[in-house]
PDB file of all heavy atoms in Angstrom:
ATOM      1  N   MET K   1      -8.826  16.496  -6.333  1.00 73.00           N
ATOM      2  CA  MET K   1      -8.262  16.155  -5.027  1.00 73.00           C
ATOM      3  C   MET K   1      -7.749  14.720  -5.051  1.00 73.00           C
ATOM      4  O   MET K   1      -8.514  13.789  -5.330  1.00 73.00           O
ATOM      5  CB  MET K   1      -9.310  16.330  -3.930  1.00 73.00           C
ATOM      6  CG  MET K   1      -8.752  16.280  -2.532  1.00 73.00           C
ATOM      7  SD  MET K   1      -9.958  16.854  -1.311  1.00 73.00           S
ATOM      8  CE  MET K   1     -10.129  18.575  -1.810  1.00 73.00           C
ATOM      9  N   PRO K   2      -6.476  14.492  -4.773  1.00 77.00           N
ATOM     10  CA  PRO K   2      -5.923  13.142  -4.852  1.00 77.00           C
ATOM     11  C   PRO K   2      -6.431  12.252  -3.727  1.00 77.00           C
ATOM     12  O   PRO K   2      -6.704  12.723  -2.614  1.00 77.00           O
ATOM     13  CB  PRO K   2      -4.408  13.366  -4.734  1.00 77.00           C
ATOM     14  CG  PRO K   2      -4.282  14.655  -3.982  1.00 77.00           C
ATOM     15  CD  PRO K   2      -5.455  15.490  -4.400  1.00 77.00           C
ATOM     16  N   VAL K   3      -6.555  10.973  -4.025  1.00 72.00           N
ATOM     17  CA  VAL K   3      -6.920   9.976  -3.026  1.00 72.00           C
ATOM     18  C   VAL K   3      -5.636   9.292  -2.560  1.00 72.00           C
ATOM     19  O   VAL K   3      -4.827   8.835  -3.368  1.00 72.00           O
ATOM     20  CB  VAL K   3      -7.902   8.938  -3.611  1.00 72.00           C
ATOM     21  CG1 VAL K   3      -8.156   7.816  -2.608  1.00 72.00           C
ATOM     22  CG2 VAL K   3      -9.210   9.620  -4.007  1.00 72.00           C
ATOM     23  N   ILE K   4      -5.444   9.234  -1.277  1.00 74.00           N
ATOM     24  CA  ILE K   4      -4.229   8.664  -0.698  1.00 74.00           C
ATOM     25  C   ILE K   4      -4.303   7.141  -0.804  1.00 74.00           C
ATOM     26  O   ILE K   4      -5.304   6.530  -0.411  1.00 74.00           O
ATOM     27  CB  ILE K   4      -4.095   9.080   0.775  1.00 74.00           C
ATOM     28  CG1 ILE K   4      -3.985  10.607   0.889  1.00 74.00           C
ATOM     29  CG2 ILE K   4      -2.898   8.412   1.431  1.00 74.00           C
ATOM     30  CD1 ILE K   4      -4.190  11.131   2.290  1.00 74.00           C
ATOM     31  N   PRO K   5      -3.268   6.490  -1.343  1.00 84.00           N
ATOM     32  CA  PRO K   5      -3.285   5.023  -1.439  1.00 84.00           C
ATOM     33  C   PRO K   5      -3.389   4.377  -0.066  1.00 84.00           C
ATOM     34  O   PRO K   5      -2.810   4.869   0.921  1.00 84.00           O
ATOM     35  CB  PRO K   5      -1.940   4.698  -2.101  1.00 84.00           C
ATOM     36  CG  PRO K   5      -1.526   5.966  -2.785  1.00 84.00           C
ATOM     37  CD  PRO K   5      -2.049   7.068  -1.933  1.00 84.00           C
ATOM     38  N   ALA K   6      -4.116   3.273   0.001  1.00 83.00           N
ATOM     39  CA  ALA K   6      -4.253   2.547   1.269  1.00 83.00           C
ATOM     40  C   ALA K   6      -2.892   2.104   1.787  1.00 83.00           C
ATOM     41  O   ALA K   6      -2.666   2.045   3.006  1.00 83.00           O
ATOM     42  CB  ALA K   6      -5.173   1.349   1.077  1.00 83.00           C
ATOM     43  N   GLU K   7      -1.964   1.803   0.850  1.00 91.00           N
ATOM     44  CA  GLU K   7      -0.629   1.365   1.260  1.00 91.00           C
ATOM     45  C   GLU K   7       0.112   2.441   2.050  1.00 91.00           C
ATOM     46  O   GLU K   7       0.898   2.134   2.951  1.00 91.00           O
ATOM     47  CB  GLU K   7       0.199   0.965   0.037  1.00 91.00           C
ATOM     48  CG  GLU K   7      -0.287  -0.295  -0.671  1.00 91.00           C
ATOM     49  CD  GLU K   7      -1.468  -0.033  -1.594  1.00 91.00           C
ATOM     50  OE1 GLU K   7      -1.886   1.142  -1.739  1.00 91.00           O
ATOM     51  OE2 GLU K   7      -1.978  -1.013  -2.168  1.00 91.00           O
ATOM     52  N   THR K   8      -0.143   3.711   1.719  1.00 91.00           N
ATOM     53  CA  THR K   8       0.503   4.808   2.450  1.00 91.00           C
ATOM     54  C   THR K   8       0.030   4.834   3.891  1.00 91.00           C
ATOM     55  O   THR K   8       0.816   5.048   4.827  1.00 91.00           O
ATOM     56  CB  THR K   8       0.202   6.154   1.774  1.00 91.00           C
ATOM     57  OG1 THR K   8       0.678   6.120   0.424  1.00 91.00           O
ATOM     58  CG2 THR K   8       0.866   7.306   2.520  1.00 91.00           C
ATOM     59  N   VAL K   9      -1.268   4.610   4.067  1.00 90.00           N
ATOM     60  CA  VAL K   9      -1.809   4.574   5.425  1.00 90.00           C
ATOM     61  C   VAL K   9      -1.247   3.369   6.184  1.00 90.00           C
ATOM     62  O   VAL K   9      -0.816   3.486   7.337  1.00 90.00           O
ATOM     63  CB  VAL K   9      -3.351   4.527   5.404  1.00 90.00           C
ATOM     64  CG1 VAL K   9      -3.906   4.492   6.823  1.00 90.00           C
ATOM     65  CG2 VAL K   9      -3.907   5.720   4.639  1.00 90.00           C
ATOM     66  N   ALA K  10      -1.229   2.210   5.525  1.00 91.00           N
ATOM     67  CA  ALA K  10      -0.715   1.002   6.174  1.00 91.00           C
ATOM     68  C   ALA K  10       0.753   1.161   6.564  1.00 91.00           C
ATOM     69  O   ALA K  10       1.166   0.762   7.667  1.00 91.00           O
ATOM     70  CB  ALA K  10      -0.890  -0.201   5.249  1.00 91.00           C
ATOM     71  N   ASP K  11       1.553   1.749   5.679  1.00 93.00           N
ATOM     72  CA  ASP K  11       2.973   1.966   5.988  1.00 93.00           C
ATOM     73  C   ASP K  11       3.143   2.895   7.185  1.00 93.00           C
ATOM     74  O   ASP K  11       4.031   2.706   8.020  1.00 93.00           O
ATOM     75  CB  ASP K  11       3.700   2.546   4.774  1.00 93.00           C
ATOM     76  CG  ASP K  11       3.877   1.534   3.650  1.00 93.00           C
ATOM     77  OD1 ASP K  11       3.712   0.332   3.904  1.00 93.00           O
ATOM     78  OD2 ASP K  11       4.175   1.963   2.515  1.00 93.00           O
ATOM     79  N   THR K  12       2.284   3.905   7.265  1.00 95.00           N
ATOM     80  CA  THR K  12       2.370   4.840   8.385  1.00 95.00           C
ATOM     81  C   THR K  12       1.989   4.158   9.692  1.00 95.00           C
ATOM     82  O   THR K  12       2.638   4.359  10.729  1.00 95.00           O
ATOM     83  CB  THR K  12       1.466   6.058   8.141  1.00 95.00           C
ATOM     84  OG1 THR K  12       1.828   6.678   6.905  1.00 95.00           O
ATOM     85  CG2 THR K  12       1.602   7.078   9.264  1.00 95.00           C
ATOM     86  N   VAL K  13       0.951   3.348   9.658  1.00 96.00           N
ATOM     87  CA  VAL K  13       0.565   2.593  10.855  1.00 96.00           C
ATOM     88  C   VAL K  13       1.716   1.703  11.306  1.00 96.00           C
ATOM     89  O   VAL K  13       2.022   1.613  12.511  1.00 96.00           O
ATOM     90  CB  VAL K  13      -0.698   1.754  10.582  1.00 96.00           C
ATOM     91  CG1 VAL K  13      -0.964   0.788  11.735  1.00 96.00           C
ATOM     92  CG2 VAL K  13      -1.910   2.663  10.377  1.00 96.00           C
ATOM     93  N   LEU K  14       2.384   1.059  10.353  1.00 96.00           N
ATOM     94  CA  LEU K  14       3.516   0.200  10.700  1.00 96.00           C
ATOM     95  C   LEU K  14       4.644   1.010  11.331  1.00 96.00           C
ATOM     96  O   LEU K  14       5.273   0.562  12.301  1.00 96.00           O
ATOM     97  CB  LEU K  14       4.019  -0.528   9.454  1.00 96.00           C
ATOM     98  CG  LEU K  14       5.126  -1.562   9.671  1.00 96.00           C
ATOM     99  CD1 LEU K  14       4.663  -2.648  10.622  1.00 96.00           C
ATOM    100  CD2 LEU K  14       5.556  -2.168   8.337  1.00 96.00           C
ATOM    101  N   ARG K  15       4.894   2.210  10.808  1.00 96.00           N
ATOM    102  CA  ARG K  15       5.913   3.081  11.408  1.00 96.00           C
ATOM    103  C   ARG K  15       5.568   3.428  12.849  1.00 96.00           C
ATOM    104  O   ARG K  15       6.434   3.461  13.729  1.00 96.00           O
ATOM    105  CB  ARG K  15       6.061   4.365  10.581  1.00 96.00           C
ATOM    106  CG  ARG K  15       6.736   4.189   9.239  1.00 96.00           C
ATOM    107  CD  ARG K  15       6.754   5.482   8.453  1.00 96.00           C
ATOM    108  NE  ARG K  15       7.505   6.538   9.126  1.00 96.00           N
ATOM    109  CZ  ARG K  15       7.594   7.795   8.687  1.00 96.00           C
ATOM    110  NH1 ARG K  15       6.967   8.139   7.562  1.00 96.00           N
ATOM    111  NH2 ARG K  15       8.306   8.683   9.330  1.00 96.00           N
ATOM    112  N   ILE K  16       4.298   3.686  13.088  1.00 97.00           N
ATOM    113  CA  ILE K  16       3.866   4.023  14.447  1.00 97.00           C
ATOM    114  C   ILE K  16       4.030   2.818  15.371  1.00 97.00           C
ATOM    115  O   ILE K  16       4.535   2.936  16.494  1.00 97.00           O
ATOM    116  CB  ILE K  16       2.408   4.511  14.437  1.00 97.00           C
ATOM    117  CG1 ILE K  16       2.263   5.785  13.600  1.00 97.00           C
ATOM    118  CG2 ILE K  16       1.924   4.774  15.865  1.00 97.00           C
ATOM    119  CD1 ILE K  16       0.823   6.196  13.358  1.00 97.00           C
ATOM    120  N   LEU K  17       3.596   1.651  14.894  1.00 96.00           N
ATOM    121  CA  LEU K  17       3.658   0.451  15.721  1.00 96.00           C
ATOM    122  C   LEU K  17       5.079   0.063  16.073  1.00 96.00           C
ATOM    123  O   LEU K  17       5.344  -0.464  17.154  1.00 96.00           O
ATOM    124  CB  LEU K  17       2.969  -0.717  15.002  1.00 96.00           C
ATOM    125  CG  LEU K  17       1.439  -0.644  14.907  1.00 96.00           C
ATOM    126  CD1 LEU K  17       0.921  -1.743  13.988  1.00 96.00           C
ATOM    127  CD2 LEU K  17       0.797  -0.748  16.281  1.00 96.00           C
ATOM    128  N   THR K  18       6.007   0.298  15.162  1.00 94.00           N
ATOM    129  CA  THR K  18       7.395  -0.100  15.392  1.00 94.00           C
ATOM    130  C   THR K  18       8.240   1.032  15.964  1.00 94.00           C
ATOM    131  O   THR K  18       9.430   0.842  16.202  1.00 94.00           O
ATOM    132  CB  THR K  18       8.029  -0.607  14.079  1.00 94.00           C
ATOM    133  OG1 THR K  18       7.938   0.414  13.083  1.00 94.00           O
ATOM    134  CG2 THR K  18       7.322  -1.857  13.590  1.00 94.00           C
ATOM    135  N   GLY K  19       7.652   2.194  16.165  1.00 95.00           N
ATOM    136  CA  GLY K  19       8.382   3.321  16.742  1.00 95.00           C
ATOM    137  C   GLY K  19       8.352   3.284  18.254  1.00 95.00           C
ATOM    138  O   GLY K  19       8.005   2.272  18.870  1.00 95.00           O
ATOM    139  N   ASP K  20       8.703   4.412  18.859  1.00 96.00           N
ATOM    140  CA  ASP K  20       8.698   4.464  20.319  1.00 96.00           C
ATOM    141  C   ASP K  20       7.890   5.640  20.864  1.00 96.00           C
ATOM    142  O   ASP K  20       7.888   5.894  22.064  1.00 96.00           O
ATOM    143  CB  ASP K  20      10.127   4.531  20.862  1.00 96.00           C
ATOM    144  CG  ASP K  20      10.918   5.717  20.306  1.00 96.00           C
ATOM    145  OD1 ASP K  20      10.318   6.587  19.639  1.00 96.00           O
ATOM    146  OD2 ASP K  20      12.144   5.759  20.538  1.00 96.00           O
ATOM    147  N   GLY K  21       7.173   6.343  19.985  1.00 97.00           N
ATOM    148  CA  GLY K  21       6.384   7.479  20.431  1.00 97.00           C
ATOM    149  C   GLY K  21       5.070   7.045  21.061  1.00 97.00           C
ATOM    150  O   GLY K  21       4.594   5.924  20.854  1.00 97.00           O
ATOM    151  N   THR K  22       4.463   7.936  21.825  1.00 98.00           N
ATOM    152  CA  THR K  22       3.141   7.685  22.382  1.00 98.00           C
ATOM    153  C   THR K  22       2.407   9.014  22.541  1.00 98.00           C
ATOM    154  O   THR K  22       3.037  10.067  22.703  1.00 98.00           O
ATOM    155  CB  THR K  22       3.223   6.943  23.729  1.00 98.00           C
ATOM    156  OG1 THR K  22       1.910   6.472  24.091  1.00 98.00           O
ATOM    157  CG2 THR K  22       3.756   7.830  24.842  1.00 98.00           C
ATOM    158  N   GLY K  23       1.105   8.960  22.422  1.00 98.00           N
ATOM    159  CA  GLY K  23       0.312  10.184  22.479  1.00 98.00           C
ATOM    160  C   GLY K  23       0.430  11.020  21.222  1.00 98.00           C
ATOM    161  O   GLY K  23       0.066  12.193  21.216  1.00 98.00           O
ATOM    162  N   GLU K  24       0.910  10.413  20.122  1.00 98.00           N
ATOM    163  CA  GLU K  24       1.106  11.148  18.873  1.00 98.00           C
ATOM    164  C   GLU K  24      -0.084  10.966  17.934  1.00 98.00           C
ATOM    165  O   GLU K  24      -0.774   9.951  17.969  1.00 98.00           O
ATOM    166  CB  GLU K  24       2.380  10.686  18.171  1.00 98.00           C
ATOM    167  CG  GLU K  24       3.643  10.972  18.963  1.00 98.00           C
ATOM    168  CD  GLU K  24       4.896  10.466  18.286  1.00 98.00           C
ATOM    169  OE1 GLU K  24       4.793   9.565  17.422  1.00 98.00           O
ATOM    170  OE2 GLU K  24       5.990  10.956  18.617  1.00 98.00           O
ATOM    171  N   CYS K  25      -0.279  11.967  17.070  1.00 98.00           N
ATOM    172  CA  CYS K  25      -1.325  11.920  16.051  1.00 98.00           C
ATOM    173  C   CYS K  25      -0.671  12.202  14.708  1.00 98.00           C
ATOM    174  O   CYS K  25      -0.345  13.349  14.395  1.00 98.00           O
ATOM    175  CB  CYS K  25      -2.413  12.959  16.354  1.00 98.00           C
ATOM    176  SG  CYS K  25      -3.226  12.705  17.945  1.00 98.00           S
ATOM    177  N   TRP K  26      -0.470  11.160  13.934  1.00 97.00           N
ATOM    178  CA  TRP K  26       0.249  11.263  12.668  1.00 97.00           C
ATOM    179  C   TRP K  26      -0.696  11.662  11.543  1.00 97.00           C
ATOM    180  O   TRP K  26      -1.662  10.952  11.259  1.00 97.00           O
ATOM    181  CB  TRP K  26       0.891   9.923  12.328  1.00 97.00           C
ATOM    182  CG  TRP K  26       2.106   9.600  13.128  1.00 97.00           C
ATOM    183  CD1 TRP K  26       2.192   9.464  14.483  1.00 97.00           C
ATOM    184  CD2 TRP K  26       3.417   9.335  12.614  1.00 97.00           C
ATOM    185  NE1 TRP K  26       3.471   9.142  14.857  1.00 97.00           N
ATOM    186  CE2 TRP K  26       4.244   9.052  13.729  1.00 97.00           C
ATOM    187  CE3 TRP K  26       3.962   9.295  11.343  1.00 97.00           C
ATOM    188  CZ2 TRP K  26       5.592   8.755  13.599  1.00 97.00           C
ATOM    189  CZ3 TRP K  26       5.308   8.995  11.202  1.00 97.00           C
ATOM    190  CH2 TRP K  26       6.108   8.727  12.323  1.00 97.00           C
ATOM    191  N   PHE K  27      -0.424  12.790  10.892  1.00 94.00           N
ATOM    192  CA  PHE K  27      -1.240  13.195   9.754  1.00 94.00           C
ATOM    193  C   PHE K  27      -0.717  12.540   8.477  1.00 94.00           C
ATOM    194  O   PHE K  27       0.479  12.271   8.333  1.00 94.00           O
ATOM    195  CB  PHE K  27      -1.283  14.717   9.595  1.00 94.00           C
ATOM    196  CG  PHE K  27       0.012  15.356   9.181  1.00 94.00           C
ATOM    197  CD1 PHE K  27       0.400  15.390   7.846  1.00 94.00           C
ATOM    198  CD2 PHE K  27       0.845  15.935  10.124  1.00 94.00           C
ATOM    199  CE1 PHE K  27       1.604  15.978   7.460  1.00 94.00           C
ATOM    200  CE2 PHE K  27       2.041  16.532   9.753  1.00 94.00           C
ATOM    201  CZ  PHE K  27       2.421  16.556   8.412  1.00 94.00           C
ATOM    202  N   ILE K  28      -1.644  12.242   7.578  1.00 91.00           N
ATOM    203  CA  ILE K  28      -1.304  11.715   6.250  1.00 91.00           C
ATOM    204  C   ILE K  28      -2.018  12.591   5.241  1.00 91.00           C
ATOM    205  O   ILE K  28      -3.241  12.552   5.118  1.00 91.00           O
ATOM    206  CB  ILE K  28      -1.724  10.252   6.076  1.00 91.00           C
ATOM    207  CG1 ILE K  28      -1.156   9.386   7.211  1.00 91.00           C
ATOM    208  CG2 ILE K  28      -1.257   9.728   4.720  1.00 91.00           C
ATOM    209  CD1 ILE K  28      -1.585   7.937   7.138  1.00 91.00           C
ATOM    210  N   GLN K  29      -1.249  13.381   4.529  1.00 87.00           N
ATOM    211  CA  GLN K  29      -1.779  14.345   3.561  1.00 87.00           C
ATOM    212  C   GLN K  29      -1.062  14.136   2.231  1.00 87.00           C
ATOM    213  O   GLN K  29       0.158  13.942   2.212  1.00 87.00           O
ATOM    214  CB  GLN K  29      -1.568  15.774   4.072  1.00 87.00           C
ATOM    215  CG  GLN K  29      -2.180  16.852   3.201  1.00 87.00           C
ATOM    216  CD  GLN K  29      -1.880  18.233   3.759  1.00 87.00           C
ATOM    217  OE1 GLN K  29      -0.765  18.506   4.215  1.00 87.00           O
ATOM    218  NE2 GLN K  29      -2.876  19.104   3.731  1.00 87.00           N
ATOM    219  N   ALA K  30      -1.813  14.157   1.153  1.00 84.00           N
ATOM    220  CA  ALA K  30      -1.220  13.961  -0.170  1.00 84.00           C
ATOM    221  C   ALA K  30      -0.105  14.983  -0.413  1.00 84.00           C
ATOM    222  O   ALA K  30      -0.272  16.173  -0.137  1.00 84.00           O
ATOM    223  CB  ALA K  30      -2.286  14.092  -1.254  1.00 84.00           C
ATOM    224  N   GLY K  31       1.031  14.510  -0.887  1.00 83.00           N
ATOM    225  CA  GLY K  31       2.138  15.395  -1.208  1.00 83.00           C
ATOM    226  C   GLY K  31       3.051  15.738  -0.053  1.00 83.00           C
ATOM    227  O   GLY K  31       4.004  16.502  -0.230  1.00 83.00           O
TER     228      GLY K  31
END
C-alpha cells in the first residue's frame, strides 16, 4: 500500500485555501 507524500497533502490544502469552494471534503488517494 503506497504512502502518500506529505507534499501532496500540503499542495491540496493550498488548493483549497486559494480556491472559492466551501463545505467541500477533498479526498487524497494514491494514484
Side-chain angles (χ1 to χ4, degrees):
M1 192 167 295
V3 174
I4 298 166
E7 292 80 3
T8 301
V9 180
D11 289 344
T12 303
V13 170
L14 185 59
R15 288 176 62 185
I16 298 171
L17 288 171
T18 57
D20 57 9
T22 192
E24 296 178 339
C25 300
W26 285 60
F27 68 82
I28 307 177
Q29 185 182 41

